[in-house]
Amino acid sequence: MAFDIDMIKEVYARYPERIAAARAAVGRPLTLTEKILYSHLTEGTASQAYERGKSYVDFQPDRVAMQDATAQMALLQFMQAGKDKVAVPSTVHCDHLIQAEVGADKDLSKAKDKNREVYDFLASVSNKYGIGFWKPGAGIIHQVVLENYSFPGGMMIGTDSHTPNAGGLGMIAIGVGGADACDVMAGLPWELKFPKLIGVKLTGKLSGWTSAKDVILKVAGILTVKGGTGAIVEYFGEGARSLSATGKGTICNMGAEIGATTSIFGYDEKSAAYLQGTGRADIAELANGIAEHLTGDAEVYADPATYFDQVIEINLSELEPHVNGPFTPDLAWPISKFASAVKENGWPAKLDVGLIGSCTNSSYEDISRAASLAQQAVDKKLVAKSEYTITPGSEQVRFTVDRDGFLDTFGQMGGVVLANACGPCIGQWARHGADKQEKNSIITSFNRNFAKRADGNPNTHAFVASPEIVTALAIAGDLTFNPMTDTLVNEEGQAVKLDEPKGLELPTKGFAVEDAGYQAPATDGSGVDVIVSPTSERLQLLESFPAWEGTDLKGLKLLIKAKGKCTTDHISMAGPWLRYRGHLDNISNNMLIGAVNAFNDSTNSVKNQLTGEYGEVPATQRNYKANGIGSIVVGDENYGEGSSREHAAMEPRFLGVRAILVKSFARIHETNLKKQGMLALTFANPVDYDKVLEDDSIDIVGLESFAPGKSLQVVLNHADGSSDTIEVNHTYNEGQIEWFKAGSALNLIKAANA
């Protein structure tokens, strides 16, 4: 039987009534996205229509999922909320803290020893508050959720930006910061601006070398890294129904790379087959009973332009395999044009490493198709010219593909199996030689390829493709190789061509696993103690942020004016810094060390206005804080792109930064800033970014009448005595303004439960 089956029955029981009410309130047929959103309103049955992109709406998600790096801060916050148990089914997944270095067994053993304090903390907190705990080695959060918890028509939030992976099984699944998770676990409504809707109509059917990964690589090229911001992407059409559930999960997972709130597919026969294949036939039976409500209305798909804000159409029969990159996931190249791009741009053609797996592409289907190419390499006497690694998404997948011989096949090709964890995808990769910072190329089936993300080397050109293309290029050792047209010379000097990959959506003998790695919580956690050592360097109990003073903010120093792309990796790096995710003071030492200073084009080098000297960003900010001086960070477009990590908001807040002023924000980061009591502001006129000078002292005026829709003024007091007054905008509603006034959203929860 599936987890939380009674909760799922309750959700499905209310669907017919709630969707009928929503259809009446909106006055037209509904998309699938709208059906799920309106069925999860905190108010219950819909009584009004909400305006896309404008209305803030309270929702009641069905569940919460957290990975170990973000769960630490989320649960440290929840411990302050005054609750005895989580209000909705919640889980913690230990996947981020395992570093890839040698291979699965040794890496996992080392991680358990190295991270014991954190794992013990997460296990005890989970045990105390009724949270399901997935031990290190159990798998990557998104694959484990897809296999065990996702269900058609459900709604969940997760403290990881790739939570949308569950959309492959028809679930509205949205990445959030830990403060949002804390709210929902405490039984409070979860607020979201009602999203715009992008419809993607898929026609035709995939064949040959093309896979589901190529759909999202194509979409990323169309929409760019911010084209989906504020929107949910809904896939439909005959092509959508032809894709496997895990293939749909891949597409939804990487939808985070276009800035989308989430992505989703409707319930169909492929969904039912996956539910049955993963031991959840009971959910499939329930879903079949309300199948009409688990997809968009027929009128919507017959005339999508009337119901979606934007419509994209892709013919899967004509779609080419793609390779995206380097340095950004939206630089899309059809395989037929990629070799020319490599040569014209001077990217290293020699491929050093090919890596498959991760939360994005680690299904049985992915691995079986890649293994079919590995088997060809063995049979055709080809020796892989590049290093090659395999990251299974879960212990269930790993055990099953091992049973079916795929891991042995990879081994014969020279592949190394890594632990069931995030590993290189998030920078948890002890890559030998990366410290030399040599120019090189890698290709992965992961989702992100920002500079320095995988190995810390800014000169590593990282490309993203399907597991099949990654495997073929690793065999060739050459980025200019096109497996659809080119041949390779084997050990006997013969020219051989790789045949099209073949695989299975689900194992013919079914999935198998000896120990999935799940630990159920105590029925009564009141006697469970959670101990955090006051001398720990990895865990630190939180103290409340101070409330707003009630006045305008004056005399703020410019900490940094960030130039160009400034993702959450730039603001709060992962990799070795993951060890401090539960210790706000220690991890704050990585604040903005990856951001490029617009005044000297350097990273981690800013002018201290008190001393006139240049120093590291965190040290400079700590100096301002020690002197009771607030500061402001200025940024470019799509500031905070990437991960959901709320540390990127909490660190500036903790160190005394009062406001972030940018041209535009990525959705999750803007929300995280608001939750922590920060001012998240945007230039009314983006060219005013150029008016900000290095020695500016800055005032934020109008806060005493802070109100929704009312702009504020920022006064730039320049060192020469002149000044510029510019208008800045914000998206705060009444409730979010109360977060600011109280010092954080958590402060309000604590006050309510005092």
Side-chain angles (χ1 to χ4, degrees):
M1 181 181 288
F3 285 99
D4 309 308
I5 190 66
D6 290 336
M7 176 270 285
I8 296 171
K9 288 178 179 178
E10 290 179 13
V11 172
Y12 284 177
R14 65 182 184 236
Y15 248 76
E17 177 187 0
R18 290 201 174 186
I19 288 177
R23 198 177 282 117
V26 175
R28 56 167 172 75
L30 300 174
T31 64
L32 170 62
T33 300
E34 291 170 318
K35 288 182 179 182
I36 299 176
L37 291 177
Y38 277 104
S39 295
H40 284 82
L41 297 175
T42 299
E43 67 182 87
T45 303
S47 58
Q48 61 176 308
Y50 293 103
E51 189 173 358
R52 297 176 190 169
K54 293 188 177 180
S55 300
Y56 281 97
V57 184
D58 285 341
F59 294 99
Q60 205 66 54
D62 301 313
R63 66 177 315 110
V64 173
M66 298 164 280
Q67 41 94 335
D68 51 355
T70 52
Q72 295 172 64
M73 199 58 70
L75 293 175
L76 285 166
Q77 291 178 83
F78 181 76
M79 288 170 65
Q80 297 189 67
K83 298 292 184 178
D84 296 329
K85 189 175 182 179
V86 292
V88 301
S90 304
T91 52
V92 168
H93 304 259
C94 295
D95 61 358
H96 272 56
L97 301 180
I98 303 168
Q99 188 175 48
E101 184 173 10
V102 180
D105 293 340
K106 290 184 179 179
D107 292 347
L108 179 57
S109 178
K110 183 177 180 180
K112 288 180 177 179
D113 182 58
K114 182 179 179 181
N115 303 309
R116 187 174 306 280
E117 179 185 16
V118 173
Y119 292 148
D120 288 347
F121 166 73
L122 293 174
S124 62
V125 174
S126 298
N127 202 27
K128 183 174 182 65
Y129 293 108
I131 299 169
F133 181 72
W134 290 81
K135 294 178 283 189
I140 306 174
I141 177 173
H142 310 304
Q143 182 64 26
V144 173
V145 166
L146 193 69
E147 293 175 4
N148 295 277
Y149 297 113
S150 54
F151 66 95
M155 183 180 193
M156 69 174 284
I157 61 171
T159 60
D160 190 281
S161 56
H162 294 105
T163 299
N165 192 79
L169 210 51
M171 194 172 199
I172 290 286
I174 300 175
V176 300
D180 281 338
C182 179
D183 285 357
V184 174
M185 290 189 292
L188 299 178
W190 176 64
E191 183 185 73
L192 177 72
K193 184 182 288 186
F194 205 89
K196 294 184 178 181
L197 301 180
I198 298 174
V200 179
K201 182 178 181 180
L202 301 180
T203 62
K205 189 174 183 179
L206 296 173
S207 62
W209 283 91
T210 311
S211 73
K213 182 64 165 267
D214 298 305
V215 176
I216 186 58
L217 295 177
K218 172 76 171 179
V219 171
I222 295 170
L223 290 176
T224 78
V225 291
K226 62 178 183 176
T229 302
I232 290 180
V233 182
E234 183 172 323
Y235 292 84
F236 62 93
E238 60 174 318
R241 293 189 295 273
S242 72
L243 299 173
S244 68
T246 51
K248 293 170 184 171
T250 291
I251 293 169
C252 293
N253 177 301
M254 203 174 156
E257 271 46 78
I258 57 172
T261 301
T262 193
S263 303
I264 193 168
F265 285 80
Y267 178 72
D268 56 27
E269 292 181 359
K270 299 286 190 179
S271 312
Y274 187 72
L275 286 168
Q276 292 160 355
T278 51
R280 294 175 288 168
D282 44 355
I283 297 180
E285 185 177 349
L286 291 170
N288 288 337
I290 61 163
E292 65 182 288
H293 301 308
L294 301 177
T295 186
D297 289 334
E299 299 93 328
V300 170
Y301 298 148
D303 182 21
T306 299
Y307 299 94
F308 291 97
D309 297 291
Q310 180 180 356
V311 178
I312 297 168
E313 185 167 340
I314 297 174
N315 185 339
L316 301 184
S317 300
E318 299 174 355
L319 182 66
E320 268 191 76
H322 276 60
V323 180
N324 286 24
F327 306 129
T328 185
D330 60 347
L331 188 58
W333 304 98
I335 193 72
S336 60
K337 297 180 180 179
F338 183 57
S340 296
V342 170
K343 296 171 184 175
E344 291 170 8
N345 288 283
W347 300 327
K350 176 181 176 292
L351 179 62
D352 282 14
V353 192
L355 307 96
I356 69 166
S358 87
C359 68
T360 323
N361 279 104
S362 56
S363 68
Y364 186 90
E365 180 180 25
D366 289 324
I367 292 178
S368 65
R369 281 173 63 86
S372 75
L373 294 170
Q375 187 63 58
Q376 286 187 55
V378 174
D379 294 344
K380 297 182 179 183
K381 296 180 173 54
L382 290 166
V383 176
K385 300 294 193 302
S386 305
E387 292 182 34
Y388 183 72
T389 69
I390 306 96
T391 302
S394 70
E395 175 58 15
Q396 178 168 265
V397 167
R398 189 212 64 80
F399 190 95
T400 305
V401 298
D402 188 24
R403 177 202 67 189
D404 293 349
F406 298 144
L407 298 188
D408 285 341
T409 301
F410 288 130
Q412 292 177 54
M413 194 188 89
V416 175
V417 179
L418 301 176
N420 312 322
C422 300
C425 184
I426 60 160
Q428 283 284 52
W429 184 18
R431 186 183 180 191
H432 305 294
D435 57 331
K436 298 177 183 177
Q437 301 206 343
E438 294 176 345
K439 189 175 180 180
N440 73 101
S441 289
I442 66 172
I443 189 166
T444 80
S445 68
F446 307 161
N447 39 44
R448 290 197 175 129
N449 59 343
F450 304 142
K452 299 193 285 186
R453 178 175 174 87
D455 61 3
N457 179 1
N459 298 312
T460 292
H461 293 57
F463 298 88
V464 179
S466 68
E468 299 93 316
I469 294 298
V470 171
T471 305
L473 295 186
I475 293 169
D478 185 352
L479 285 180
T480 66
F481 173 68
N482 182 348
M484 298 178 68
T485 58
D486 300 346
T487 59
L488 296 169
V489 177
N490 68 8
E491 290 182 283
E492 297 179 350
Q494 300 170 323
V496 296
K497 191 170 185 295
L498 294 172
D499 300 321
E500 295 174 350
K502 299 184 183 303
L504 298 168
E505 292 181 11
L506 294 166
T508 54
K509 294 186 286 186
F511 283 106
V513 67
E514 289 182 350
D515 179 7
Y518 176 70
Q519 176 180 300
T523 304
D524 179 5
S526 60
V528 177
D529 292 324
V530 179
I531 300 174
V532 175
S533 170
T535 60
S536 172
E537 68 164 11
R538 300 196 62 178
L539 295 166
Q540 179 187 49
L541 294 176
L542 296 175
E543 295 182 4
S544 300
F545 291 135
W548 172 55
E549 305 93 320
T551 62
D552 289 340
L553 302 180
K554 295 188 176 182
L556 304 178
K557 300 301 183 185
L558 175 69
L559 176 62
I560 186 172
K561 179 178 173 180
K563 176 183 177 181
K565 187 184 283 285
C566 192
T567 72
T568 49
D569 279 328
H570 295 89
I571 305 168
S572 176
M573 288 184 176
W577 290 95
L578 285 171
R579 65 181 284 102
Y580 300 121
R581 283 288 179 86
H583 198 293
L584 185 54
D585 195 1
N586 284 346
I587 198 170
S588 292
N589 288 322
N590 79 357
M591 185 192 71
L592 286 159
I593 63 176
V596 176
N597 183 352
F599 298 109
N600 60 12
D601 286 330
S602 298
T603 58
N604 204 21
S605 176
V606 295
K607 187 174 183 179
N608 183 328
Q609 293 190 41
L610 300 182
T611 66
E613 299 176 351
Y614 284 83
E616 297 179 345
V617 183
T620 302
Q621 180 55 37
R622 286 185 186 274
N623 186 228
Y624 290 154
K625 182 179 181 180
N627 284 278
I629 299 171
S631 66
I632 184 170
V633 170
V634 173
D636 215 317
E637 296 281 4
N638 207 29
Y639 183 89
E641 170 192 345
S643 168
S644 70
R645 68 191 67 151
E646 66 181 342
H647 298 76
M650 295 186 78
E651 291 172 32
R653 180 74 170 103
F654 175 73
L655 291 182
V657 177
R658 303 302 301 272
I660 311 292
L661 172 60
V662 300
K663 293 180 181 178
S664 65
F665 284 105
R667 175 191 65 85
I668 300 177
H669 187 63
E670 182 182 22
T671 300
N672 286 344
L673 290 168
K674 292 178 179 180
K675 284 277 184 177
Q676 301 302 335
M678 290 278 282
L679 280 174
L681 308 173
T682 56
F683 292 99
N685 186 352
V687 299
D688 286 342
Y689 169 92
D690 298 324
K691 295 179 180 178
V692 180
L693 304 181
E694 189 172 30
D695 293 307
D696 282 351
S697 180
I698 299 170
D699 304 331
I700 301 176
V701 179
L703 289 173
E704 293 180 28
S705 57
F706 195 11
K710 184 179 180 181
S711 63
L712 300 170
Q713 280 70 49
V714 165
V715 182
L716 304 172
N717 299 296
H718 306 309
D720 64 2
S722 65
S723 66
D724 284 298
T725 299
I726 62 175
E727 184 179 359
V728 297
N729 296 328
H730 66 84
T731 60
Y732 287 75
N733 59 28
E734 292 285 3
Q736 294 167 347
I737 290 173
E738 292 306 310
W739 298 345
F740 168 73
K741 291 179 177 179
S744 72
L746 181 58
N747 286 354
L748 289 179
I749 298 176
K750 290 168 65 176
N753 290 304

